[in-house]
Amino acid sequence: MKRVQQITAMTMIALLGLTSCQSEIDEVNGDNPNTNNANSSATTNFKRTAMFDGSVDDFIDGNSCSAIMFPAKAIVNGTTVTLFSELDYQQVITILGQFNNDQDSVVLQFPLTVKTSNYTEVTVNNQTEYNAILDACSSAEASGEDAISSVAIDFPITILTYDVSFQQTGSVVITSKQELYAYMTNISSTELYAVKYPMSVTLTDGTKTTVASDAEFKATLEASLKTEATMTAAANNVKEVESVLVNGMFKVESYVNAGVETTTNYKDFTVDFANDKSIKVISTLNTVATGTYEVSSQLEVLLKLNFTGNTSLNLLNNDYKVTSFNNGSIILQSSTNAAIVLVLKQI
C-alpha cells in the first residue's frame, strides 16, 4: 500500500548529525587500536552506532533521522489522532493497516517537537522547516553519515585514553548511546583512545554476539547493514504482493505436499482476496469457504493463509514464504515444511 505522507519540517540542518536509514560504513582500514582519534574510521563507526535512532515512528513521519516528541497530533486517513506515548502508535498502525490497497495519508499538525540524531530537541513550526530536516536526512544517508541502528552496543563499555607517546593516561566508562555519541563527537584529533574489548552487541534480530577488535566491530556493522537491506527489500515487496492479491481472482494451480500433488481437489474453487484481508472462496457461484490472510516480512515476504468452512481448503492453512511472484502468479513454500509448495494463478 502506498503511503502519501504529507509531513512538514524545519530549516535547522546544522542541528542534525543525522540518523537512520543505513548506508555503507567508512571503508578506511588498518587503524592501530590505541591510536584512534577524531579522524579514525572506528570513531565514525562508533558515532553512527551511537546516534539517536528516529526510526521508531517512521510509519508516521516517514523520516528515520528524527523522532516526534510527545504530545503530538496527526490526521491519519482523515482521523485525528493525538499521541501521548508510544502506546498510541497502535491506533495509527490500525488505521493505516485497515486496507491494503488504499492511499494512506498522514498529516502532521504543527508546531511539534522532534529529537534529531544528535539528541537535540527542536521545535518545528511548518512544512518548510520540516522539509529541511528531510533534505538533510537524505544528504546524511547519501554520504554515509546517518545512524546505524542494526547493531546496538551493550553498555557499559570502557574507553582507554592515551597520550601522543601511546602511553595510557586513564579510562572512561560509557553507560549509554548518548554518552558514547558525545564522546566520539567531542574528541579531538590529538586525543587518542581505544575501546576495551571484548564488547557485547545486540543485532537487529535480537541475537547477541561478542566483538574483540575495531575490525570485528566494523565487520559486524557491515554484515548487519546487508541483513537490514534484505529486510527492507522484503518489507517493500509486501506492498506489491498485497496489490497482486487484491487486484485479481485466483485458482490453485498447484499444491504439492511431500511430492504428492492434490491440485485436482481445488480445480473448482476461485479464491478472492479482499483489501480488508478477508478471503472468499467461490464454487459455481456459491461461497464455499471464507478466511483471512496476512502479508508480512522478515528476510523474505511471508503470507499466512487461514481458510474455514471446507476440509480441503483447510489443508492449505499455513505460514508460507513467497518464493516468487508477478502480476499473474504467486509461488509459496511453507516456512516450516519445505516439502509443501502452493502455486496461486490469477484468472
Side-chain angles (χ1 to χ4, degrees):
M1 115 180 81
K2 295 182 180 178
R3 180 172 305 159
V4 176
Q5 299 195 346
Q6 301 171 8
I7 48 185
T8 57
M10 66 147 292
T11 52
M12 303 178 67
I13 298 178
L15 290 174
L16 304 175
L18 279 164
T19 148
S20 204
C21 315
Q22 275 63 37
S23 35
E24 292 188 13
I25 68 174
D26 196 320
E27 292 299 322
V28 178
N29 292 300
D31 289 329
N32 186 330
N34 65 346
T35 61
N36 285 331
N37 60 27
N39 301 317
S40 300
S41 61
T43 303
T44 299
N45 296 337
F46 281 111
K47 181 179 178 180
R48 290 181 64 192
T49 307
M51 286 178 172
F52 174 74
D53 177 21
S55 63
V56 65
D57 60 355
D58 281 2
F59 58 93
I60 296 174
D61 64 5
N63 177 30
S64 295
C65 293
S66 62
I68 298 170
M69 305 301 291
F70 305 113
K73 185 177 293 186
I75 300 175
V76 184
N77 289 352
T79 300
T80 300
V81 178
T82 301
L83 305 171
F84 294 103
S85 72
E86 291 188 8
L87 295 176
D88 296 312
Y89 288 163
Q90 186 56 52
Q91 184 178 356
V92 178
I93 293 171
T94 299
I95 295 172
L96 294 174
Q98 186 175 7
F99 302 105
N100 56 27
N101 69 341
D102 60 339
Q103 189 175 64
D104 291 318
S105 173
V106 179
V107 182
L108 298 178
Q109 302 299 287
F110 297 96
L112 57 79
T113 301
V114 299
K115 180 182 285 189
T116 66
S117 59
N118 65 0
Y119 296 89
T120 301
E121 294 187 11
V122 178
T123 298
V124 184
N125 295 297
N126 53 53
Q127 182 173 356
T128 300
E129 291 180 354
Y130 200 82
N131 284 344
I133 289 180
L134 300 180
D135 292 343
C137 181
S138 297
S139 297
E141 292 165 6
S143 59
E145 297 175 351
D146 56 326
I148 296 176
S149 59
S150 53
V151 172
I153 296 172
D154 299 333
F155 295 99
I157 62 172
T158 299
I159 293 178
L160 308 177
T161 57
Y162 295 85
D163 60 23
V164 292
S165 300
F166 309 132
Q167 299 300 308
Q168 185 177 341
T169 58
S171 63
V172 180
V173 176
I174 303 293
T175 62
S176 68
K177 285 177 59 175
Q178 188 167 354
E179 286 184 14
L180 180 60
Y181 179 81
Y183 184 91
M184 294 300 166
T185 301
N186 295 323
I187 194 170
S188 73
S189 58
T190 59
E191 294 178 279
L192 307 179
Y193 75 91
V195 171
K196 185 178 181 181
Y197 291 100
M199 179 179 70
S200 175
V201 299
T202 302
L203 306 181
T204 190
D205 63 358
T207 61
K208 292 183 179 293
T209 189
T210 300
V211 294
S213 66
D214 290 343
E216 284 191 16
F217 183 57
K218 176 186 176 184
T220 299
L221 294 182
E222 290 175 334
S224 74
L225 293 180
K226 290 179 180 179
T227 298
E228 188 164 77
T230 300
M231 295 174 69
T232 299
N236 292 335
N237 283 336
V238 164
K239 307 305 179 184
E240 296 187 34
V241 171
E242 289 177 336
S243 178
V244 170
L245 288 173
V246 302
N247 288 325
M249 307 281 279
F250 288 84
K251 289 281 192 180
V252 175
E253 183 175 55
S254 176
Y255 180 70
V256 179
N257 187 346
V260 179
E261 183 168 352
T262 57
T263 308
T264 55
N265 292 342
Y266 310 102
K267 63 182 179 63
D268 296 325
F269 296 146
T270 299
V271 185
D272 182 13
F273 295 89
N275 65 8
D276 62 356
K277 302 181 183 178
S278 65
I279 303 174
K280 182 169 63 176
V281 183
I282 301 169
S283 178
T284 61
L285 302 180
N286 295 315
T287 299
V288 297
T290 58
T292 60
Y293 71 96
E294 181 179 358
V295 186
S296 60
S297 67
Q298 294 175 355
L299 292 174
E300 58 274 306
V301 181
L302 305 174
L303 173 61
K304 182 175 183 177
L305 296 178
N306 182 34
F307 293 98
T308 57
N310 182 282
T311 302
S312 295
L313 287 164
N314 290 351
L315 296 175
L316 303 183
N317 293 345
N318 213 319
D319 293 326
Y320 295 95
K321 295 186 293 186
V322 179
T323 61
S324 177
F325 73 95
N326 55 42
N327 288 331
S329 67
I330 298 178
I331 300 176
L332 308 168
Q333 182 180 51
S334 170
S335 60
T336 57
N337 182 355
I340 298 177
V341 177
L342 170 64
V343 179
L344 300 174
K345 185 176 182 180
Q346 195 173 97
I347 57 176

